[in-house]
Structures are given as structure tokens and as C-alpha cells.
Amino acid sequence: MNSRNSLLMTFISTLFLSACSQQLPDAPASEVNLDSTHRHLKILASDEFGGRGPLTEGETLTIDYLAKQYRAMGLTGANKGSFFQGVPMAKLTSDQSMLLTIGDLEFQAGTDFTARTQQMNSNIRLKDSEVVFVGYGINAPEYHWNDYRDIDVKGKTVIVLVNDPGFATQDEKLFTGNAMTYYGRWTYKYEEAARQGAKAVLIVHETAPAAYPWSVVESSNTGSKYSLVDDNENLSKLPIMGWLQHEATQRVFAEAGLDFEQLKQAAVQRSFEARSLKLAANLELRTEIEHAESNNVLALIKGSTRPDETVIVSAHWDHFGTRQTAEGPKIFNGAIDNATGVAGTLEIARILMKRHKVKPFERSILFANFTAEETGMIGSELFGNGDVVPTENIVGLLNIDGMNALDGVDYVLQYGQGMSELEDYLARAASKQQRHVKPDPRPQNGLFFRSDHFSLAKQGVPGLLFMSLGDTDPDYISHKYHKEADDYSPSWSLGGMEQEISLIVDIASELASGDDWPRWKADSDFKKRREQDKR
């Protein structure tokens, strides 16, 4: 080819490539800085932070780190200028040398049962307390269901099944079928038993309906627990909150001359009648009580025209801290649960603050890192009282509780179905990423009721839960969840975090730039509360 023809071909090729680049533009560069996200994760999940236990040195390191990061980005403290909201609470540590006796049987704490209290009472005794089986322990008029019908459990020890009859039967016409209702949550079991006047509750643990193995029950209930304290020293709370291992339960029923599996099957019928086991329970629950103050971390991007209207982005900062064992200290670093979520909020805040400087958001965006989620959503419960932001001013809440630190996926998980119009925002944002919305693959686990957004839902605020605990890592739930093995890895690609961070940025930006107030779809107490606030 001569030089003249060569030049002509080069010119034509240049024109062709230029045309192609105009027709197929490069995808916009990601706003997410994965290097800084890795850095936040490594620090928050480090042994130096000691597992981020509330009321420990790990808390001080964590909340100071978060406040420093938010301040450096240009955010301000959301609590009257402060980045901290004090959360007065009690730290309750139960003596694990306790023994439970039922009839002539003796059970070991941790191995066979767990027991704790939220009452400010250092010594609670069960003395010859009558043991009663009340099926699922549910009183739900809307489902025409009352397990406490025609029985008095005042002062007694109640044994109840976890989850609800819908899961047990897989009957879509019973409760909500496979999807857990709030009546299936252990928190509800304790609340209802307290209303009925029971002295103690033992929830029967089975892995499938509980959604986690006994090891999770043990690790979650045998260390220090935390509680808000009311004006009556929590005396309206259930005196003894317990779990009973499945095999131990079978032994109890056999001692009473009954077949547990047979009675469990009977309990799925509306006609089921609670019955006494004609056995007495004895237990001395000794608890060390310390009063102290933990902290929520709250950072604000103030809206330009409607600053009182607020969008919340949240993630709990706490995990289980460090526990002393016979083998030495064990640090529960909680890298996925929930250092990923906290690192995510920091990166979301950085991106949104950068956008806000270019074009201010009309509404405010508040970043909330709550304390003591792992012990009963305590920090978010206090925040839900509305002292910092009245709940009627909260547009919606986007809550992160464990992110996919591995490669990206072509879907986004949705927890709850037909709950609120925020699900429509989720679908639109996912579509922009060419991802589809995937319904919760384990609705029987009731995850919608198990994280901080639920504290605000009870106050009428619609929310979305972003969670990936084991969805892309099948080994996570069985070997890492709430265990010492939940550690940071520098090999994580963070592709999934990059997707979710961008998704949440998109939804938060839309909410903060508009004037829409997402509504609840399903009839519920949440919807009634919201409609009452908006009158």
C-alpha cells in the first residue's frame, strides 16, 4: 500500500472510531471511592476497635472516628450542632453459672437455655413457677387467633414456639403463609407474655423457624445486653426472657408425659388450647447492672428550602465487642455486620455532600449511625422518640445492615412486599443499574422486623432495608454471622457495596430533591400512625 492510500485509510479509520464512540458512549465513571471504603472497613473491623461494643473503649474509638470523617466532609452535627446523641442505657450482665430446673430435670445455661432480663432487678427468682405451653404465644384479633384464650399465666413460666403458624403450615391463608409476621418475632413473644402477666418465657429454638442456629442464640444472649430504662425501672417488661434448646424442650415435655412434636402440630390450629405441663420451674437470675450512656452518631446535610423535611440514611455502628473466655479474649469484629454498612454511610455522605455543593438539596439528609442495634435496636428506638427530628418530618429511611462485600450481582434484594411506596423508588433505581428487584428469598426469617428501620416504622416512618447477610456468601450465616469469624478481608472486591452505595445515593437524591411523601401501601399500625401524623 502506498503512503497516500495509507494516510487515506488512517483518516477513514479515525472517522469510524469517532462515530462509534459517539454512538456508544462510555458508561459514567462510578462516584464510589473503593479505596477509601476499604480503608474505613479495615479500621472499623480492626482488633483495635475491639468489636465496637457499646460502652467500651471500642465505642469511643468508633464514634470519634465517624464524627471526624463526617466533619472532614463538611457535614454538621445533627443534634443541635453535636454529632452525638446520648443514649442513656443500662448494661446488664447475667451470671452464666445459673441452673434451670423443671421438674426433676436440670439444664445448663448457654448449652440448654438462655435467660436474661431488662428489669432493673439484680436478683429475680423463679420459685416453683408453673410451666404452661401456649403454642405460638400469639394474640392477634385480626387473624382471629388467641393462644392465651381461657388461660391465666400470671406469675407462670410460659413455653412458646418461635415464628408463626403460617410458616409451620406453609398455608398462604394462615397469617401470611411462609412470610413471617411480627407475631413470629421473639420480641413480640416477650411483649405479649408481659402483657399477660407471665413471670418467664422460654422460646423453643429450632433452626428453620428461627432462621439461625442455636450458636447465634447463645452468642446473642449470654454476654452483656443493653436496655433503655423507663421511669418505672422497666418493671413492666418481662422479668425473665429466655430460650430453650429443642432437645431440652423434648425432655421437658417427656417429663410431663407429653409428646412435644404432637403438641407442636396441634398448635397450628385456631382451636388449640394452652395447657399446663404440671411441672414447676426454678431459677435464680443474678444480673450485674451498670448505668451508662452510649451514643448515636448523627450528621447532617442541611436542605436549602425545606430543611425541616428530612431523609434518613442509617446503619448501626455496634457489634458484640470482646468477650473473655477460658481460651482467652474473643473479638467479634462484625466486619460484614455492620462495618460494611457504616463504611457505606460514610461513602454515601461523601458523594451526596459533593453533589450538594454543586446543586443544594431542598430537603435535609441526616446520616444516623445507631448504637446497640444488636441488643434490641436501642439507639434507633430512642431516636424514634423524635427529640432530634420529629417523626412526622421524616420523609423516609434507608437503612443498611450488612452489605455485599464481594462481586456485584444483577439484582437487589427487597425486604417486605407491598409495604410502602419506597419500593417503587427501589425499582426505579435498580432499573437504572440494569438490575432487577428480587423478593426476599427467606421471607420466613422476618428480616423486615429485625433492624433499625423497624423502630421508625413503628412510629409511622416508611423505610427500606438494604441487607446482604449470606446471600452471596453461603458460608456466612452458618460460620460467620454473630461469630468471631466475621472478619475483614483485603481481598474483597466490594463490587456489591459499590452497587448498593450508588443505588442509595440515587434514591436519597430523588427524595431530597422532590416533594413526595412516600406512603404505606399495606394496612397496618404503621400506616395508621403515618396518616394520623399527616392530618
Side-chain angles (χ1 to χ4, degrees):
M1 181 182 294
N2 60 39
S3 58
R4 186 173 182 180
N5 288 339
S6 177
L7 287 171
L8 180 61
M9 291 302 296
T10 301
F11 177 70
I12 292 171
S13 297
T14 303
L15 287 176
F16 176 76
L17 291 172
S18 175
C20 286
S21 66
Q22 291 174 12
Q23 294 169 10
L24 300 171
D26 292 335
S30 172
E31 295 178 272
V32 180
N33 186 327
L34 292 183
D35 289 338
S36 64
T37 304
H38 256 298
R39 185 174 64 254
H40 294 318
L41 264 174
K42 183 179 180 180
I43 292 171
L44 291 165
S46 66
D47 285 355
E48 180 188 358
F49 279 52
R52 304 187 308 281
L55 308 180
T56 68
E57 177 62 21
E59 164 166 355
T60 302
L61 290 171
T62 302
I63 65 175
D64 285 350
Y65 180 80
L66 296 177
K68 180 180 178 181
Q69 298 303 313
Y70 285 128
R71 187 181 291 110
M73 296 172 196
L75 280 75
T76 58
N79 186 21
K80 299 176 182 177
S82 172
F83 284 98
F84 305 126
Q85 179 190 23
V87 183
M89 63 172 68
K91 178 181 180 181
L92 302 103
T93 308
S94 296
D95 183 352
Q96 295 304 306
S97 67
M98 60 185 156
L99 293 174
L100 169 68
T101 63
I102 298 179
D104 293 329
L105 302 174
E106 189 174 271
F107 300 102
Q108 303 290 325
T111 304
D112 302 314
F113 79 99
T114 67
R116 63 185 180 92
T117 187
Q118 289 181 320
Q119 291 191 356
M120 299 300 104
N121 187 340
S122 61
N123 196 311
I124 300 175
R125 284 192 165 196
L126 278 182
K127 184 171 177 56
D128 297 327
S129 173
E130 182 183 350
V131 180
V132 180
F133 177 56
V134 294
Y136 285 91
I138 293 172
N139 180 15
E142 68 272 34
Y143 291 111
H144 309 291
W145 197 281
N146 186 1
D147 287 321
Y148 288 97
R149 180 184 64 254
D150 300 328
I151 192 165
D152 182 0
V153 298
K154 289 183 176 63
K156 298 177 183 179
T157 296
V158 170
I159 294 180
V160 300
L161 302 172
V162 72
N163 216 307
D164 60 44
F167 171 79
T169 61
Q170 296 293 294
D171 182 354
E172 294 298 324
K173 297 179 182 178
L174 193 60
F175 286 73
T176 54
N178 185 52
M180 183 190 287
T181 65
Y182 186 58
Y183 293 112
R185 287 285 293 138
W186 58 265
T187 48
Y188 168 80
K189 312 286 184 179
Y190 294 146
E191 291 165 359
E192 185 59 38
R195 287 189 285 268
Q196 298 289 337
K199 182 71 175 285
V201 168
L202 296 171
I203 301 174
V204 179
H205 174 267
E206 293 184 86
T207 298
Y212 35 75
W214 177 258
S215 59
V216 172
V217 174
E218 183 179 1
S219 65
S220 301
N221 289 276
T222 55
S224 295
K225 303 293 287 184
Y226 306 89
S227 178
L228 296 176
V229 183
D230 62 25
D231 294 336
N232 196 31
E233 299 288 280
N234 290 355
L235 293 181
S236 63
K237 303 283 189 181
L238 187 70
I240 297 177
M241 308 158 64
W243 286 81
L244 192 61
Q245 200 258 5
H246 181 232
E247 185 179 352
T249 304
Q250 291 176 315
R251 291 172 58 200
V252 169
F253 278 70
E255 176 82 354
L258 299 169
D259 185 325
F260 170 67
E261 301 301 328
Q262 188 178 62
L263 280 175
K264 185 175 74 172
Q265 291 299 318
V268 301
Q269 304 294 327
R270 283 191 176 88
S271 58
F272 170 78
E273 295 182 0
R275 62 186 300 174
S276 171
L277 301 191
K278 303 189 185 309
L279 297 173
N282 288 275
L283 172 72
E284 184 175 4
L285 178 62
R286 296 187 299 275
T287 304
E288 180 181 327
I289 302 171
E290 304 172 51
H291 291 272
E293 184 171 272
S294 186
N295 289 273
N296 292 330
V297 181
L298 308 175
L300 186 70
I301 297 175
K302 189 173 182 179
S304 59
T305 59
R306 285 169 284 138
D308 290 342
E309 297 178 10
T310 306
V311 178
I312 309 288
V313 178
S314 67
H316 71 89
W317 62 254
D318 68 296
H319 201 59
F320 289 107
T322 303
R323 294 181 181 173
Q324 301 301 324
T325 70
E327 295 79 31
K330 289 187 176 182
I331 305 176
F332 292 72
N333 283 319
I336 296 296
D337 181 17
N338 188 31
T340 55
V342 180
T345 58
L346 289 174
E347 184 60 11
I348 292 164
R350 185 193 67 81
I351 295 170
L352 289 174
M353 189 65 196
K354 184 178 179 181
R355 290 188 179 187
H356 182 69
K357 289 177 179 178
V358 175
K359 183 180 179 181
F361 294 112
E362 296 180 26
R363 288 167 160 166
S364 295
I365 305 174
L366 189 153
F367 295 86
N369 296 124
F370 296 121
T371 183
E373 187 272 351
E374 298 288 8
T375 192
M377 302 181 288
I378 291 172
S380 57
E381 181 183 345
L382 182 73
F383 182 83
N385 290 340
D387 296 333
V388 176
V389 181
T391 52
E392 62 266 25
N393 290 350
I394 300 177
V395 179
L397 183 144
L398 310 175
N399 179 47
I400 312 169
D401 195 352
M403 302 184 86
N404 171 22
L406 304 179
D407 295 341
V409 292
D410 65 356
Y411 61 86
V412 57
L413 291 172
Q414 176 179 299
Y415 295 95
Q417 188 72 32
M419 300 294 288
S420 82
E421 291 175 346
L422 281 177
E423 294 170 8
D424 303 329
Y425 282 79
L426 181 67
R428 288 196 297 272
S431 179
K432 291 178 185 178
Q433 295 183 329
Q434 297 183 325
R435 293 201 288 165
H436 67 276
V437 173
K438 178 181 174 181
D440 179 4
R442 296 176 291 275
Q444 68 273 18
N445 294 2
L447 291 172
F448 184 82
F449 310 108
R450 290 168 54 180
S451 192
D452 284 318
H453 66 285
F454 188 61
S455 295
L456 279 294
K458 289 191 289 187
Q459 303 301 324
V461 179
L464 287 175
L465 170 63
F466 296 87
M467 177 184 284
S468 181
L469 296 179
D471 192 68
T472 53
D473 179 3
D475 187 55
Y476 184 79
I477 294 296
S478 56
H479 295 107
K480 300 172 188 175
Y481 177 57
H482 288 189
K483 295 183 178 67
E484 198 179 2
D486 188 1
D487 279 323
Y488 166 76
S489 172
S491 67
W492 288 339
S493 71
L494 305 191
M497 287 189 67
E498 183 175 21
Q499 287 180 320
E500 298 295 83
I501 288 169
S502 298
L503 189 82
I504 295 167
V505 164
D506 190 347
I507 297 172
S509 295
E510 185 176 356
L511 288 170
S513 302
D515 56 9
D516 183 30
W517 288 87
R519 294 169 294 183
W520 291 96
K521 292 181 178 180
D523 287 330
S524 64
D525 289 339
F526 318 141
K527 183 177 181 179
K528 293 174 186 174
R529 178 63 183 264
R530 189 63 159 186
E531 289 175 346
Q532 180 181 350
D533 285 342
K534 289 301 173 187
R535 283 175 188 163

